[in-house]
């Protein structure tokens, strides 16, 4: 296959590029490097089946030759990044999704949208099932990301219903692993960077809010399986092993053997109180479940960050 991956120089996108290259496919990575890095794709630069196109997909996108699949991963993804780039985030979720769906239509390609657990907002249903419509503040600070992704899902379904494109919507829950940016502001890179520098870990609020963290290799397996189906409704992909942010910080302290303490900072606006995916749909449809537990995943990620600090 010849596969276009937008956001391919980012954390998840670069792992997808690697996976499809390893399977023998051709990959065209399209990225404007707003939050991604060339270093993430350096290892593939010499591969004749890999091509990098530096382009903002909020502007129309022309790719020469055949395309079998378009995977739309371009978007700032960490809260710190999308609060820094609110308009770019709204544009890439709306105009970028429209442009990449247009590419899929023109090439008669299948399509996968990287959506997010943020479409559920601060959820009133727990765990979150795909049938839940969500609880999002459209005008809050996080609204730029949440509403862009909700629009992106609506646009993707419209292209499927109107043009018959084989579209897929992955609702991705918190994912972590090598190639995250140390300074992207998410809990895990912050905590690991702070632990390795022996600085206090910054917990926002009292740390009782929960998340459910999925290791990158498990997510990639789920995405590749979903992309190979003809299922069009959203599918949650994540690890249902839920943990409070305080426990998570303490796990990182233990695993890193750090002497850092913990400091408490204000909780950001609209920060979801709880989050855990119901993954029964992915289990039944894809025969998929995460395999890598948090201790193992955190160990591997810590090794990566040790080289950077
Ligand atoms: P990331 O910031 O590492 O990667 C995003 C990539 O998109 C970057 O390389 C960035 O430069 C690129 N990009 C952004 N806007 C662009 C534009 N207009 N044109 C071209 N390229 C653009 O983030 P990530 O964690 O790898 O997230 C990738 C995708 O997965 C995002 O769509 C995100 O919403 C989704 N997602 C991620 C998570 C997670 O836990 N990491 C959870 C849910 C959803
Ligand atoms: N968080 C924290 N300290 C940090 C960074 C984040 O306590 O240094 C909290 C944040 O408020 C949220 C959780 O950790 O409750 C996960 O935040 P992250 O930015 O990783 O992703 P989110 O799931 O909120 O998109």
């Amino acid at each position: 296959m010849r596969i276009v991956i937008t956001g391919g120089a980012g954390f998840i996108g670069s792992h997808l590029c690697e996976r499809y290259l390893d399977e023998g496919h051709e990959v065209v990575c399209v990225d404007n490097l707003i939050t991604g890095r060339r270093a993430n794709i350096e290892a593939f630069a010499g591969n004749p089946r890999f091509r990098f196109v530096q382009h903002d997909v909020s502007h129309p996108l022309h790719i020469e030759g055949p395309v079998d699949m378009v995977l739309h991963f371009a978007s700032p993804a960490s809260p710190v990044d999308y609060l820094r780039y609110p308009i770019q985030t709204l544009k890439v979720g709306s105009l970028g999704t429209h442009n990449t769906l247009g590419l899929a239509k023109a090439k008669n390609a299948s399509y996968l949208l990287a959506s997010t657990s943020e479409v559920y907002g601060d959820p009133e249903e727990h765990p979150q099932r795909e049938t839940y419509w969500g609880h999002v503040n459209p005008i809050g600070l996080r609204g730029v990301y949440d509403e862009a992704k909700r629009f992106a899902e609506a646009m993707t379904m419209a292209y499927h219903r109107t043009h018959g494109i084989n579209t897929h919507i992955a609702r991705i829950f918190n994912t972590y692993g090598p190639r995250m940016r140390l300074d992207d502001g998410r809990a895990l890179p912050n905590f690991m960077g702070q632990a390795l520098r022996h600085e206090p870990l910054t917990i926002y609020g009292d740390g009782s809010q929960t998340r459910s963290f999925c290791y990158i290799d498990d997510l990639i397996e789920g995405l590749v399986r979903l992309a190979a189906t003809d299922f069009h409704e959203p599918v949650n992909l994540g690890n249902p092993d839920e943990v409070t942010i305080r426990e998570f910080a303490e796990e990182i302290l233990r695993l890193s053997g750090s002497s850092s303490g913990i400091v408490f900072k204000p909780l950001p606006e609209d920060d979801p109180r709880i989050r855990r995916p119901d993954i029964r749909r992915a289990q039944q449809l894809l025969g998929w479940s995460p395999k890598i537990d948090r201790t193992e995943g955190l160990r591997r990620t810590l090794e990566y960050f040790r080289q950077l600090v």
Side-chain angles (χ1 to χ4, degrees), residues 109-175:
S110 64
Y111 186 87
L112 186 143
L113 171 71
S115 185
T116 167
S117 52
E118 284 279 330
V119 300
Y120 301 123
D122 189 8
E124 291 168 315
E125 184 180 302
H126 195 67
Q128 292 76 53
R129 281 186 303 173
E130 291 88 347
T131 48
Y132 178 47
W133 290 357
H135 180 227
V136 169
N137 175 2
I139 58 159
L141 291 175
R142 293 175 88 107
V144 297
Y145 181 68
D146 304 6
E147 295 295 3
K149 292 289 186 179
R150 290 169 67 95
F151 175 92
E153 288 198 5
M155 184 63 106
T156 301
M157 289 308 292
Y159 263 68
H160 165 65
R161 292 185 179 120
T162 308
H163 299 301
I165 297 179
N166 183 15
T167 58
H168 309 89
I169 298 174
R171 287 191 182 148
I172 302 168
F173 283 64
N174 295 65
T175 299

Side-chain angles (χ1 to χ4, degrees), residues 77-80 82 116-118 142 145 173-175 180 184-191 194 201-205 207 209-213 245-246 248-249 263 265-268 270-273 275:
S78 95
V80 167
Y82 60 72
T116 167
S117 52
E118 284 279 330
R142 293 175 88 107
Y145 181 68
F173 283 64
N174 295 65
T175 299
M180 291 182 101
D184 83 1
R186 287 186 260 207
L188 182 139
N190 274 6
F191 292 166
Q194 290 158 346
L201 273 59
T202 52
I203 289 186
Y204 302 159
Q209 70 272 34
T210 69
R211 294 294 186 274
S212 307
F213 294 93
I245 289 301
R246 174 148 200 169
F248 189 57
V263 290
K265 303 253 173 156
L267 192 67
D270 296 333
D271 198 284
R273 296 289 316 151
R275 180 180 292 159

